[in-house]
Amino acid sequence: MCGIVGYIGKDNAKNIVINGLKRLEYRGYDSAGVAFIDSGKLKIYKKSGKIRNLEFELNKDLSLPHVAIGHTRWATHGEPNDINAHPHVDCTGKIAVVHNGIIENFAELRKSLESKGHKFKSQTDTEVIAHLVEEEIQEGKDLREAVLSAVAKLKGSYAAAVIYEDEPDKIVCVRKDSPLVIGIGEGENFIASDVPAFLSYTNKVIFLDDNECAVITADNVQIFDLNGHKVEKEIKEIPWSIAQAEKGGYKHFMLKEIYEQPKAIADTISGKLSIFEEKNKKILTDFSKIQIVACGTSFHAGLIGKFFIESISRIPVSVDYASEYRYRNPIIDNKTLIIAISQSGETADTLAAVRLARKEGAKVVAICNVIGSTITREADYTIYTHAGPEISVASTKAFTTQLAALFLFAVEVAKVRKVIDKETENKLLNALSEIPKKLKTFLDTENEKKLIRKIALEFYNSQDALYLGRFVNYPIALEGALKLKEISYIHAEGYPAGEMKHGPIALIDEKLPVVVIAPKDRVYEKMVSNIEEVKARKGKVIAVTNANCPEIKKLADFTIEIPATEELLYPFLTVVPLQLFAYHIADFLGYDVDQPRNLAKSVTVE
């Protein structure tokens, strides 16, 4: 949620920041703004609505500034309008602040500042930061010292960037519980909430940790802790190209990312005879139970990971929504292994769960797509997915690469603990290695693609949908329903098919599309019986199954055929038709598929 971009260097900072904000649109926003220093004077432009509204106003300003900060806001405190949009300024109009996160004690701070004569213009929590910095500067501090003193008074989460008219050669930024990354260029430097904002300029980055402050000039970056002591940081190279963060001829990023899944899975499993170095394998033997924590689509990956680990490694696994984990007083000890799954590595609830678990003595394995992100720095070990940048809010390739990482983990644990023989290990890994090719075959099959569009055209005016699956495909029913909800705004529910009789069956009639995931696996006959029950109530059945399933073809209204595979691996194949189905429905409805309303890609506040 929300996006920060900053630039200082030799080029037109105004344009670079606007282009960076456009690359962060996937994070979700309802207003945007830019602050820059031109000829010694601070200028502010901000508009509600899309970035193009802001850009229209900025184009009237012919200045060529060399320092600027910008922001896309997703409203938390105060409605989305021009006044509440960032950046926010102090009483003097010389200090500008952009901020992601939530200042929990802002009301108390605002009351105190107002009693001292400060005048506030917005309803936001962010504006208090600008006035706090103003107070510190009036006491004779420079910008860095003023920012450090100001944030010492804040409670909550923040990634903030500040520029000051009287120190026009620097940006000062600070971070706590909200992501901020610095891009390192030549004679220019960048800040952003996420790497794609500046990826066309540099792939060299420094990730700020919590409670760190950076002073950024065109030629230098200095990092400090909140006590003002210098901190040495490693510069990392992100192995992504700008081409990966562009649409490449596809209508939407979501469609492009669906079609990138064969390569993303292949890259994630490539050469992975072992995903743990020998020195790290002790972590695989020192636990008696596993707890998986994740949010949203990553939670569904965790549910499937439970099937993988329990079936292959024979270790008990629980799966929790990270947002609920801390509040149920979980039983954690030094024999607990936490698997934390996060595409961005910055998901606030998942990080909070990780910190609780570590405090109680548990080890943490992270599954993540972003090198150097917070969760990878706080985990004991990280299994990286290699999905490349995922821009669409609706996750697709991140999900299937997380499945690949979880499957590799399950096999590795089983091997280290000697619960599978070499023949079984080879069989499982060989089956996994075939998945990218099978998936590409499906995606290249024109008849199936046309059929999915035809089905979407048939049902895009539906008000509700029911998704049913069993065994390892039950979580795919949840994920399919989530995809339809988040991008088409059609109410959809995913259920274990055996639970249909315990309530949902009452909803089935001739108007309700029922998506049934029924490949030829151990529960195939039971799924056929469930379809019979749906058809007895005149429900419209869309079945995802295999070519050799005549019983289902006879019953279903529409049948989408996927290749056969090892039964545990079917989720890689069954989820893709559901991604395409949701995509085409949203597209037929004319929605912005990549930026669903009220949603953001990286949820970094609770």
Side-chain angles (χ1 to χ4, degrees):
M1 61 172 59
C2 303
I4 288 174
V5 179
Y7 172 83
I8 185 165
K10 54 189 179 295
D11 290 327
N12 186 339
K14 186 174 59 174
N15 292 347
I16 290 171
V17 167
I18 281 290
N19 289 335
L21 292 177
K22 287 178 180 177
R23 294 193 181 279
L24 295 184
E25 285 186 299
Y26 62 86
R27 294 175 68 87
Y29 71 104
D30 45 48
S31 61
V34 171
F36 56 89
I37 298 172
D38 175 50
S39 301
K41 294 294 181 183
L42 181 69
K43 292 185 177 180
I44 306 285
Y45 289 88
K46 49 188 188 174
K47 296 292 289 183
S48 61
K50 294 297 184 182
I51 289 172
R52 60 178 174 266
N53 300 340
L54 171 66
E55 193 171 19
F56 179 78
E57 294 299 320
L58 272 176
N59 287 340
K60 299 174 186 177
D61 188 313
L62 301 180
S63 55
L64 299 170
H66 297 295
V67 58
I69 55 175
H71 188 267
T72 50
R73 175 181 185 249
W74 192 16
T76 55
H77 296 78
E79 65 183 65
N81 58 30
D82 292 359
I83 293 173
N84 289 329
H86 298 213
H88 291 287
V89 298
D90 69 318
C91 294
T92 69
K94 290 186 173 186
I95 300 162
V97 177
V98 294
H99 159 243
N100 292 348
I102 293 177
I103 307 304
E104 295 170 0
N105 61 334
F106 90 99
E108 170 191 334
L109 291 170
R110 178 169 177 152
K111 185 177 180 181
S112 173
L113 288 162
E114 286 177 329
S115 72
K116 297 176 183 178
H118 287 267
K119 303 296 183 185
F120 283 75
K121 296 177 181 177
S122 77
Q123 300 168 289
T124 68
D125 55 340
T126 300
E127 193 178 350
V128 299
I129 302 174
H131 293 282
L132 287 171
V133 173
E134 176 193 359
E135 289 251 307
E136 301 298 332
I137 285 176
Q138 287 175 347
E139 292 184 7
K141 295 173 181 170
D142 66 18
L143 183 59
R144 177 183 70 90
E145 294 168 335
V147 169
L148 288 173
S149 295
V151 299
K153 299 173 183 176
L154 304 180
K155 295 178 182 177
S157 61
Y158 48 81
V162 187
I163 57 175
Y164 176 36
E165 190 177 286
D166 291 352
E167 296 182 42
D169 60 344
K170 68 184 67 167
I171 301 172
V172 176
C173 55
V174 64
R175 173 217 162 123
K176 180 179 181 291
D177 296 332
S178 194
L180 203 60
V181 59
I182 301 166
I184 307 299
E186 295 184 10
E188 59 185 5
N189 289 306
F190 309 79
I191 61 166
S193 301
D194 206 351
V195 173
F198 53 69
L199 195 55
S200 57
Y201 303 96
T202 182
N203 69 341
K204 294 181 173 65
V205 304
I206 295 173
F207 288 92
L208 279 189
D209 281 310
D210 281 348
N211 302 312
E212 288 184 342
C213 169
V215 178
I216 299 163
T217 66
D219 300 308
N220 192 29
V221 173
Q222 291 183 305
I223 314 292
F224 302 87
D225 65 23
L226 295 190
N227 294 315
H229 302 129
K230 273 191 104 169
V231 177
E232 296 299 321
K233 302 285 286 188
E234 180 184 358
I235 297 175
K236 297 181 179 289
E237 288 196 13
I238 300 295
W240 296 348
S241 70
I242 190 59
Q244 290 177 290
E246 294 177 339
K247 290 181 184 175
Y250 287 88
K251 187 174 181 180
H252 294 98
F253 279 111
M254 183 180 178
L255 188 61
K256 174 176 180 270
E257 289 159 10
I258 289 171
Y259 277 84
E260 287 176 337
Q261 287 177 108
K263 183 179 187 304
I265 296 167
D267 289 345
T268 298
I269 66 178
S270 177
K272 300 289 197 311
L273 294 176
S274 175
I275 54 171
F276 281 79
E277 299 169 6
E278 201 62 41
K279 63 182 180 181
N280 297 113
K281 286 190 177 178
K282 191 172 187 297
I283 200 173
L284 302 180
T285 59
D286 284 356
F287 63 87
S288 58
K289 64 181 179 183
I290 293 173
Q291 295 175 351
I292 297 176
V293 292
C295 299
T297 286
S298 296
F299 173 78
H300 298 157
L303 291 175
I304 295 169
K306 174 182 171 73
F307 280 96
F308 291 165
I309 296 165
E310 291 190 341
S311 296
I312 298 170
S313 311
R314 307 305 297 156
I315 294 167
V317 180
S318 64
V319 187
D320 278 85
Y321 284 111
S323 56
E324 293 295 322
Y325 183 70
R326 288 171 291 158
Y327 305 113
R328 72 168 176 84
N329 195 19
I331 299 170
I332 311 166
D333 56 28
N334 61 5
K335 291 297 182 182
T336 305
L337 180 70
I338 303 297
I339 300 178
I341 311 173
S342 170
Q343 188 280 141
S344 67
E346 304 291 350
T347 311
D349 288 314
T350 307
L351 283 166
V354 164
R355 288 162 183 163
L356 171 65
R358 288 182 63 84
K359 183 179 176 182
E360 297 296 325
K363 295 290 187 184
V364 176
V365 171
I367 294 177
C368 185
N369 190 42
V370 181
I371 293 171
S373 57
T374 303
I375 208 166
T376 69
R377 299 195 301 274
E378 297 196 11
D380 296 283
Y381 193 86
T382 299
I383 305 170
Y384 283 106
T385 57
H386 294 277
E390 189 182 62
I391 306 300
S392 175
V393 168
S395 182
T396 53
K397 61 178 179 172
F399 175 73
T400 47
T401 54
Q402 288 166 356
L403 296 186
L406 286 160
F407 194 85
L408 289 170
F409 174 84
V411 173
E412 184 89 344
V413 171
K415 181 172 66 173
V416 168
R417 293 190 171 214
K418 297 182 171 52
V419 298
I420 58 170
D421 56 32
K422 191 66 177 176
E423 182 182 352
T424 305
E425 176 194 344
N426 288 339
K427 177 188 172 187
L428 292 171
L429 292 177
N430 288 339
L432 179 63
S433 71
E434 291 292 312
I435 289 296
K437 183 170 67 175
K438 290 176 185 288
L439 195 49
K440 188 173 188 308
T441 298
F442 174 80
L443 287 167
D444 288 345
T445 305
E446 287 300 322
N447 287 342
E448 294 302 317
K449 290 190 291 187
K450 288 178 181 177
L451 175 60
I452 294 170
R453 280 182 60 84
K454 178 183 175 183
I455 300 168
L457 189 60
E458 176 87 8
F459 292 108
Y460 78 96
N461 282 321
S462 299
Q463 300 299 306
D464 304 277
L466 180 64
Y467 286 67
L468 300 174
R470 294 186 97 129
F471 180 47
V472 77
N473 282 300
Y474 151 55
I476 295 300
L478 300 180
E479 177 61 12
L482 176 63
K483 284 292 156 285
L484 190 66
K485 278 184 280 198
E486 63 186 347
I487 63 171
S488 73
Y489 321 131
I490 294 171
H491 172 254
E493 293 298 330
Y495 263 87
E499 290 296 301
M500 178 182 63
K501 296 182 290 293
H502 298 278
I505 199 167
L507 301 174
I508 297 173
D509 60 22
E510 66 277 5
K511 296 179 182 178
L512 184 72
V514 182
V515 180
V516 179
I517 304 132
K520 203 71 174 283
D521 60 10
R522 70 181 67 179
V523 293
Y524 174 74
E525 286 78 13
K526 293 185 180 297
M527 289 303 301
V528 172
S529 296
N530 293 139
I531 295 173
E532 293 267 18
E533 291 171 326
V534 173
K535 292 308 297 178
R537 288 151 183 85
K538 300 183 180 178
K540 301 294 184 184
V541 173
I542 304 160
V544 178
T545 187
N546 301 120
N548 59 335
C549 298
E551 304 88 351
I552 287 179
K553 285 184 181 178
K554 180 180 176 183
L555 291 168
D557 296 272
F558 299 95
T559 304
I560 302 168
E561 296 181 1
I562 58 167
T565 187
E566 148 70 37
E567 66 174 3
L568 279 176
L569 295 174
Y570 269 119
F572 288 95
L573 301 172
T574 54
V575 74
V576 175
L578 307 188
Q579 294 168 349
L580 286 168
F581 179 60
Y583 169 81
H584 287 303
I585 283 184
D587 192 35
F588 283 138
L589 289 167
Y591 295 136
D592 187 342
V593 174
D594 292 327
Q595 297 171 48
R597 65 190 183 208
N598 301 325
L599 293 178
K601 184 66 179 173
S602 180
V603 181
T604 53
V605 295
E606 292 188 78

